[in-house]
Amino acid sequence: MTFWLLVIGGVYGVTLVVATIKARQASHNSDDYVMAGSNVGVVLGFLTFGATLFSTFTLMGMPDFFRTHGIGAWIFLAVSDAAVAFVVLWFGSKLRRRVSSKDFKGMAGLMRDSYKTPWAGYLYFATIFIFLTPYVAIQIRGISIFLNAAFPLTLPDWGWAASIVVVMLIYSEIGGLKAIIYSDALQGILLLVVTWVIAYGCVQNFGSIQLMFDSVREVNPALLSTPGPKGLFNTQFLLASFLVILFLPLTQPQLATRMIIMRDMQSMQQMAIALGIFAIAVILPTVAIGMYGAVHYADVSASEFLAQVLLHEQAPALAACVAVGLVAAAMSTSDSQLFALGTELRSLLSGKEKTIMIYTRLAIVCFAGLAFLFAIMSSEEMVLLARVSFTGTALVGPMILTAVLTRRKLGSEILILTATALALFLISLSGLIPTSLLSIRLELLLLLFLTIFISLSVLCRKSLELKTVS
Amino acid sequence: MKTENKAKLLLWRFCCFAIVVLSVLTFTPLIIPAGTFEPSLFGVPFTLWAGMLIALAMIILTIIASIVHPDKYDNVNETE
């Protein structure tokens, strides 16, 4: 396998270098560097959006979710992502009508301008910093643990993590967002092909899809329905996850940016459709991989199951593709988020463009360094921490939605309410307050209260404006 | 507004409404009945195939919505 790893890793590396050089040549000013020239077509658009959305979690977390918690994982991610395609179509159009790609510097800047106070920008930036940095760290941590388990005695965990961070920084610092987009496209294609080939092998092992589910029924019938054998996929968990995932295109800066940098409105709308199809195409094969694991690796750890199914059971060339694909997936999600943190900081800065760009590039290096430190210190609960990260950013969703949908004067009470909700959520994570109230999950309650109070704030201010006019 | 555009606007609103209905439906026992995997379809358990249909319907609605999106006939610049 080492031979194939060198060949496929080499091909991937050379393609990445060529893409970075091409991106560098196409970049003539800071907007080209940060916004990829705002001229991204449909194919590149959905591949970069999809690759940024689907992290290593899709190839590692989803098969393990199906194996451990059963078919409810489909509702958890596939139905949610199909709905996300509609959200991208709807919200993307609203966002593009609100700001032009030339004026758009970042969501933090948009919040500052909409709420007419820098505190709105600071609040958004603080939120994504608090929740995205750990998410990047989890990505890097997850893949370094996997690589260490798959290739023992090669590099320690921290060595794999450091290598990933350094490669990521090199191409994103040189080629900017365009280089990241090319890397995303490569990863998206690799992820799709690899999961389908492995899934085909899994189904072949049983003989047919029907026989596969029959085998699962004999081993653990609870896997074939919700809430699954461990009770994870209950209605509240699925609903909370659904809402949190729906908010991703609004709240995650790397996704919002990808709606803005599309060539035109039509390209953005076609990208939304392609994204929905891509999501289903990527998630569908993970069902078979998970069901295969449920029958053959029911009692082993997640990392052992993944190492066996994704690497050791596969032909050397395919296993090498998986290993390279996993590293690429971790890098494409992480570099997009780190780059987005840098560009969001840029949108809050003022002064000479050259100085701002130096600060932006330095900030990206600092954020990557922090993510690396968190990666070597963080726990292995990758999936649940990732979910907390999404939940945290979802709490700024109502604030962002209001800023994009209305042009009326927005009150600072919206910012205070959002900050309070975020603080309560963070305190609940530390265990000082309960994570549910009257058996309802705290994040659901917070989202509900934010939606009600922000709507009331907008309506009250509207009626006050009308009274003043009359 | 032309009649054709009115029909498109109506269809756009229907798509938005249908997405909300499908989303709500997904989290009811109609789609996720606790502990039940029958009726299965070609061996695929109920929640899985019903979830696949829901996802498929959402994508079809997204395709229709992109065709009848108000931006196509609102005659406005991309940025207001």
Side-chain angles (χ1 to χ4, degrees):
Chain A
M1 180 175 152
T2 312
F3 166 76
W4 283 108
L5 199 61
L6 288 172
V7 170
I8 292 162
V11 170
Y12 179 76
V14 169
T15 317
L16 206 56
V17 169
V18 172
T20 306
I21 293 168
K22 200 182 161 197
R24 175 77 179 174
Q25 286 168 344
S27 179
H28 303 296
N29 53 46
S30 60
D31 273 340
D32 284 347
Y33 179 81
V34 174
M35 293 289 163
S38 298
N39 191 28
V40 178
V42 178
V43 176
L44 215 50
F46 87 80
L47 283 173
T48 183
F49 200 105
T52 305
L53 188 64
F54 299 115
S55 51
T56 46
F57 175 71
T58 314
L59 193 52
M60 297 169 74
M62 280 307 283
D64 195 46
F65 253 34
F66 278 112
R67 177 187 76 118
T68 319
H69 302 291
I71 49 89
W74 180 267
I75 305 289
F76 166 72
L77 198 67
V79 172
S80 304
D81 280 336
V84 160
F86 193 87
V87 172
V88 169
L89 175 80
W90 174 76
F91 181 74
S93 306
K94 296 277 181 195
L95 184 64
R96 288 181 71 97
R97 285 176 70 161
R98 180 79 167 82
V99 288
S100 78
S101 57
K102 282 177 187 169
D103 298 333
F104 184 80
K105 301 286 182 197
M107 291 302 276
L110 178 63
M111 290 306 106
R112 179 197 56 204
D113 297 343
S114 301
Y115 286 89
K116 310 230 182 304
T117 166
W119 287 103
Y122 300 151
L123 177 62
Y124 177 75
F125 184 77
T127 306
I128 58 165
F129 177 77
I130 290 169
F131 291 107
L132 286 196
T133 318
Y135 186 77
V136 174
I138 293 159
Q139 287 280 313
I140 297 166
R141 171 81 173 161
I143 196 68
S144 57
I145 289 170
F146 176 77
L147 288 170
N148 194 28
F151 309 106
L153 308 173
T154 314
L155 279 177
D157 281 357
W158 66 266
W160 285 113
S163 311
I164 292 168
V165 170
V166 169
V167 173
M168 216 161 59
L169 273 177
I170 290 173
Y171 71 76
S172 52
E173 285 284 332
I174 294 173
L177 185 57
K178 196 84 176 184
I180 291 174
I181 288 173
Y182 287 142
S183 131
D184 286 347
L186 270 175
Q187 182 255 314
I189 296 164
L190 200 58
L191 183 71
L192 190 65
V193 173
V194 159
T195 46
W196 273 99
V197 174
I198 295 175
Y200 179 75
C202 290
V203 175
Q204 284 293 98
N205 180 271
F206 291 104
S208 72
I209 290 171
Q210 181 150 7
L211 291 172
M212 178 177 79
F213 285 112
D214 286 346
S215 304
V216 175
R217 192 178 302 188
E218 283 169 21
V219 174
N220 191 352
L223 287 168
L224 301 180
S225 63
T226 55
K230 295 180 181 175
L232 179 72
F233 292 133
N234 56 47
T235 308
Q236 265 204 56
F237 176 89
L238 290 173
L239 182 61
S241 306
F242 178 78
L243 292 175
V244 164
I245 291 170
L246 280 197
F247 271 121
L248 288 180
L250 290 70
T251 56
Q252 303 269 316
Q254 72 281 11
L255 298 180
T257 304
R258 276 158 178 75
M259 293 188 278
I260 288 285
I261 60 171
M262 294 302 293
R263 187 171 294 142
D264 49 36
M265 189 73 93
Q266 196 176 2
S267 305
M268 200 279 302
Q269 292 175 348
Q270 288 170 349
M271 181 270 279
I273 298 167
L275 176 73
I277 297 166
F278 182 73
I280 301 305
V282 167
I283 298 168
L284 195 57
T286 65
V287 181
I289 303 172
M291 293 297 109
Y292 178 83
V295 173
H296 296 287
Y297 297 101
D299 300 318
V300 302
S301 68
S303 57
E304 196 182 337
F305 153 62
L306 294 167
Q308 287 296 330
V309 175
L310 301 181
L311 295 176
H312 302 313
E313 285 190 8
Q314 306 304 329
L318 183 61
C321 280
V322 172
V324 173
L326 282 172
V327 175
M331 288 200 305
S332 75
T333 305
S334 306
D335 61 13
S336 302
Q337 289 176 334
L338 291 172
F339 197 82
L341 277 168
T343 49
E344 289 302 324
L345 182 70
R346 173 181 176 257
S347 76
L348 290 173
L349 298 175
S350 56
K352 284 184 180 173
E353 191 56 38
K354 200 175 175 184
T355 316
I356 291 174
M357 280 314 296
I358 291 170
Y359 285 144
T360 305
R361 286 170 183 241
L362 279 175
I364 293 169
V365 176
C366 291
F367 293 138
L370 266 177
F372 170 69
L373 284 178
F374 289 151
I376 56 175
M377 293 188 302
S378 70
S379 76
E380 291 181 29
E381 296 297 330
M382 186 170 73
V383 174
L384 287 177
L385 267 176
R387 221 196 124 254
V388 169
S389 169
F390 289 166
T391 310
T393 51
L395 292 175
V396 291
M399 173 184 115
I400 294 171
L401 201 55
T402 312
V404 172
L405 294 185
T406 179
R407 282 182 176 273
R408 292 180 184 282
K409 192 171 183 289
L410 298 167
S412 53
E413 64 275 8
I414 295 176
L415 305 178
I416 294 167
L417 283 168
T418 306
T420 309
L422 281 163
L424 283 172
F425 181 66
L426 285 170
I427 294 169
S428 78
L429 292 179
S430 67
L432 289 173
I433 58 169
T435 51
S436 62
L437 201 66
L438 302 169
S439 304
I440 303 175
R441 296 173 76 96
L442 184 67
E443 64 263 35
L444 274 175
L445 285 172
L446 289 173
L447 277 173
L448 182 70
F449 283 125
L450 278 175
T451 308
I452 293 169
F453 285 117
I454 290 176
S455 306
L456 282 175
S457 159
V458 173
L459 287 173
C460 288
R461 284 182 175 272
K462 187 181 172 184
S463 62
L464 274 174
E465 268 180 42
L466 288 173
K467 273 185 187 171
T468 315
V469 171
S470 61
Chain B
M1 194 186 271
K2 289 178 186 173
T3 318
E4 189 191 347
N5 290 349
K6 268 187 182 172
K8 280 183 177 177
L9 188 62
L10 198 67
L11 201 50
W12 160 254
R13 284 177 182 161
F14 167 77
C15 288
C16 295
F17 176 74
I19 282 278
V20 174
V21 170
L22 281 178
S23 302
V24 173
L25 206 66
T26 303
F27 302 100
T28 65
L30 277 175
I31 303 294
I32 49 169
T36 308
F37 51 79
E38 294 291 352
S40 57
L41 187 69
F42 306 116
V44 179
F46 173 72
T47 298
L48 187 57
W49 69 256
M52 285 174 179
L53 283 183
I54 294 267
L56 188 68
M58 283 177 166
I59 291 169
I60 292 169
L61 283 169
T62 307
I63 294 170
I64 298 168
S66 75
I67 296 166
V68 297
H69 194 281
D71 278 337
K72 296 262 161 63
Y73 47 88
D74 233 6
N75 202 22
V76 289
N77 291 325
E78 205 166 284
T79 48
E80 284 170 336

